[in-house]
Amino acid sequence: MTNKRERSEEDGKEMEADYEEGKTTESDAEMEEENSKEKTKTGNSQTDFSTELLAQYYSRLFPFEMLHEWLSYNPDACNPKAKANSTKTKSKTFTHREFSFTIEPFPGEEIYIRYQSFKDQADLTNAVLKRNPRKIDIGAVFSHPPKDHKAIQGMAKFAPCQRELVFDVDLTDYDGVRRCGCDGANICHKCWKMMGMAMKVMDQGLREDFGFDNIAWFYSGRRGIHAWVCDESARQLSDAGRSAVASYFEVNLGTDKDKNVGIHTPLHPTLSRAHKILEPMFIRDIIPEGKHGILAEEEKWTELLETLPQGAMTVKDKLLKKWSKDYSTAAEKWDELKRYLNILIGKSTDKKVKQNKGINAKDKEEVELWPVATVFRYTYPRLDINVSKMQNHLLKSPFCVHPKTGRVCVPIDCSNVDDFDPFNVPTLGQLMKELDGYDGEDVTNEWEKTSLKESFGKFQKDFLLPMWKDLKRAEKEEAEKMAAVTGDF
């Protein structure tokens, strides 16, 4: 087990000499054990990640300029001429930002260095190249530069001022409903679809219900996704406000022992919208044969029917008998199951099944909600809500590399999430081969010579540029308001 210790930046400096001598990978035995656990799921090997490959990635491919411009929130960043004359890139939104590094000075020992901050892009770049961190985390913008936090008297004076609203969804939290054979850190194409479902629900809710526009999604590098909501209104949210937004999306999805899902009739509009998004994907990616198969074989559909409310046991008995003799598809079974339930509660005029007019109100509500609850149990976002609640919570930096897979934490286009394949995300070994084999025209950034070009370039075009234009427009409107107040037109 890796031994982790947390240190401040000052403490971390004491380790630099040892770290420079300790740039080695995990022991052969540890690496072989890790490979045997994951090779069928992630393709991880020593050729995908090593300390040496990571150092090359930082020195040649890591988009320091892109990260710096983003976290500076400089409205002139979309205009190269204005940017050259702008001082906003040195604003407190960057210089007061907390970064943390996880370094491995010796094999098997990780040191977690918090409260680092940097005066500019060059300062950040130099620190990363010097320490070659296995992981970079990003935190809040503080009242003072985090590196000076020990000199600030009292935590009341050293406090977070702003931070993106962030969300973390991890497939480990779906272990109770994954029927593809994966659990823990293992993933496959079948269960990865659940991340696309979560992303679509969250993205639409954040945009339509809260009015946020500048939302960036990233692959975590292994088994999950992260969202960064970067609108100023989101960055200025208090901890209470963040908790309220996160709780808005939270639904009690039940457990293995308690299958009850915490929803009620009438459905809240956001849950009704989520159900419309999720049910088609539930039918396509959860119930069929070759997927999670919960309506594709008798053992699994029996397990599902056992979760019906007590008031619908007659439906269970009839369908178990019927399905044991027919060859209907999973989608047809789902439609038939819902039809039987609607007849049971009097929502259908179909005469094929006798209605139970004596069903009480409580049972009727449970039966009516069961199809929605079942869709939600398998598909609704399972948030690590603690990540979202507090300004000073750290989250892995976009564009860094997951050491267990060697894959880059690339941006994900939410509008095209169904086509995103985590197994096609480039690894460090692949990227270095692409650099060595490049034989094209000169480019501005070395990452343009690799398979990172599409995702990094799309992030610039579809996220950063629109965000910078929004910032510029807001700056202009604020200037006009001030001019109206002072009469300085």
Side-chain angles (χ1 to χ4, degrees):
M1 179 178 294
T2 301
N3 179 27
K4 293 186 178 181
R5 288 186 285 161
E6 182 175 315
R7 295 174 180 263
S8 67
E9 181 184 26
E10 293 84 350
D11 295 332
K13 289 179 180 177
E14 299 173 6
M15 299 300 300
E16 287 179 6
D18 289 336
Y19 172 64
E20 290 301 319
E21 297 176 1
K23 291 183 178 178
T24 57
T25 60
E26 298 174 76
S27 71
D28 292 341
E30 290 171 332
M31 183 64 77
E32 182 62 31
E33 179 183 2
E34 202 64 50
N35 289 343
S36 65
K37 290 178 181 177
E38 297 195 326
K39 62 183 178 181
T40 60
K41 297 294 182 181
T42 65
N44 186 36
S45 70
Q46 288 176 310
T47 61
D48 292 327
F49 183 88
S50 69
T51 304
E52 293 76 13
L53 286 172
L54 185 61
Q56 291 185 57
Y57 174 74
Y58 284 135
S59 64
R60 301 184 67 182
L61 297 175
F62 190 86
F64 288 104
E65 182 178 13
M66 194 187 304
L67 186 67
H68 172 258
E69 289 176 348
W70 170 18
L71 298 180
S72 297
Y73 293 98
N74 173 18
D76 290 323
C78 60
N79 184 337
K81 292 183 179 179
K83 186 173 73 171
N85 298 319
S86 174
T87 60
K88 290 187 175 64
T89 54
K90 296 183 179 180
S91 66
K92 292 181 180 180
T93 52
F94 186 80
T95 61
H96 288 38
R97 170 82 66 171
E98 180 187 2
F99 290 82
S100 80
F101 291 167
T102 302
I103 65 173
E104 189 180 48
F106 309 104
E109 179 180 12
E110 288 185 352
I111 294 178
Y112 191 47
I113 309 174
R114 286 201 61 175
Y115 299 114
Q116 298 184 93
S117 57
F118 307 99
K119 62 182 180 181
D120 52 28
Q121 176 188 324
D123 197 21
L124 169 64
T125 302
N126 290 337
V128 171
L129 295 182
K130 182 176 183 179
R131 286 183 170 160
N132 199 34
R134 290 172 63 87
K135 183 185 176 191
I136 302 172
D137 287 293
I138 298 175
V141 177
F142 282 83
S143 54
H144 300 78
K147 65 181 180 181
D148 299 331
H149 74 283
K150 287 188 175 180
I152 308 301
Q153 298 299 315
M155 288 302 293
K157 295 183 179 180
F158 178 71
C161 300
Q162 64 166 283
R163 199 259 195 280
E164 295 80 6
L165 176 62
V166 294
F167 296 93
D168 180 9
V169 190
D170 195 307
L171 269 170
T172 304
D173 295 321
Y174 290 71
D175 280 357
V177 293
R178 286 201 271 179
R179 299 292 184 267
C180 54
C182 295
D183 59 11
N186 291 329
I187 68 170
C188 67
H189 288 109
K190 298 174 187 178
C191 58
W192 180 258
K193 293 291 185 181
M194 293 171 167
M195 294 295 93
M197 298 169 189
M199 189 184 301
K200 288 182 179 181
V201 170
M202 292 295 300
D203 193 81
Q204 192 163 357
L206 288 166
R207 293 180 190 278
E208 294 187 9
D209 298 346
F210 293 95
F212 297 133
D213 294 315
N214 306 125
I215 305 170
W217 289 94
F218 291 89
Y219 173 45
S220 72
R222 194 179 194 188
R223 59 178 183 260
I225 53 176
H226 298 156
W228 295 67
V229 186
C230 303
D231 300 68
E232 184 173 4
S233 58
R235 289 185 277 126
Q236 299 293 342
L237 281 172
S238 65
D239 287 349
R242 291 164 194 274
S243 183
V245 175
S247 297
Y248 179 82
F249 291 101
E250 194 173 35
V251 172
N252 175 15
L253 297 171
T255 64
D256 289 337
K257 293 182 179 179
D258 180 8
K259 306 295 185 181
N260 294 320
V261 175
I263 57 176
H264 306 279
T265 55
L267 280 180
H268 188 281
T270 192
L271 296 181
S272 179
R273 181 186 61 223
H275 182 249
K276 290 178 182 178
I277 294 171
L278 293 171
E279 188 177 29
M281 292 185 281
F282 173 80
I283 294 171
R284 183 191 69 191
D285 297 319
I286 300 296
I287 65 176
E289 184 178 3
K291 304 294 183 176
H292 294 262
I294 65 172
L295 278 177
E297 51 190 82
E298 187 168 2
E299 181 181 354
K300 289 184 178 180
W301 74 55
T302 300
E303 179 185 352
L304 180 64
L305 292 174
E306 290 288 350
T307 68
L308 282 166
Q310 191 62 37
M313 286 297 102
T314 56
V315 171
K316 181 200 77 169
D317 294 338
K318 289 175 181 178
L319 289 180
L320 282 176
K321 183 177 180 180
K322 184 177 186 297
W323 289 352
S324 67
K325 299 177 181 179
D326 70 21
Y327 296 95
S328 57
T329 66
E332 289 168 343
K333 285 184 172 66
W334 180 248
D335 285 341
E336 186 173 40
L337 172 54
K338 290 196 300 178
R339 178 167 56 84
Y340 272 47
L341 294 177
N342 283 336
I343 292 169
L344 180 66
I345 62 177
K347 289 187 68 175
S348 173
T349 58
D350 194 316
K351 303 300 182 182
K352 292 183 180 180
V353 179
K354 184 179 178 181
Q355 295 188 32
N356 180 4
K357 296 182 179 179
I359 189 169
N360 62 48
K362 180 177 181 297
D363 287 345
K364 181 178 179 180
E365 181 182 28
E366 289 181 352
V367 172
E368 183 177 4
L369 287 173
W370 183 88
V372 179
T374 300
V375 170
F376 280 4
R377 280 201 75 229
Y378 286 88
T379 63
Y380 193 82
R382 295 170 178 253
L383 302 177
D384 182 349
I385 198 169
N386 292 321
V387 172
S388 308
K389 282 183 174 181
M390 301 182 67
Q391 282 183 310
N392 63 356
H393 199 292
L394 295 162
L395 186 65
K396 183 191 298 181
S397 171
F399 316 119
C400 64
V401 178
H402 199 294
K404 296 295 185 183
T405 64
R407 301 192 190 281
V408 179
C409 301
V410 295
I412 303 177
D413 178 7
C414 187
S415 65
N416 202 28
V417 65
D418 288 338
D419 294 330
F420 180 81
D421 184 349
F423 299 100
N424 282 340
V425 173
T427 63
L428 291 186
Q430 175 187 337
L431 290 170
M432 294 310 128
K433 289 179 181 178
E434 291 173 356
L435 280 177
D436 293 341
Y438 183 76
D439 187 24
E441 60 186 27
D442 291 339
V443 292
T444 304
N445 305 288
E446 284 215 87
W447 51 259
E448 295 177 80
K449 300 177 181 179
T450 73
S451 50
L452 293 172
K453 178 180 179 179
E454 182 178 357
S455 60
F456 281 18
K458 193 170 181 62
F459 178 76
Q460 279 187 320
K461 178 183 176 183
D462 295 343
F463 175 74
L464 288 183
L465 281 175
M467 185 182 72
W468 288 331
K469 289 177 181 177
D470 286 348
L471 289 168
K472 191 67 176 177
R473 182 166 51 250
E475 185 183 66
K476 182 179 179 181
E477 291 173 356
E478 183 64 25
E480 289 174 350
K481 287 180 183 179
M482 292 300 297
V485 172
T486 62
D488 184 17
F489 295 102

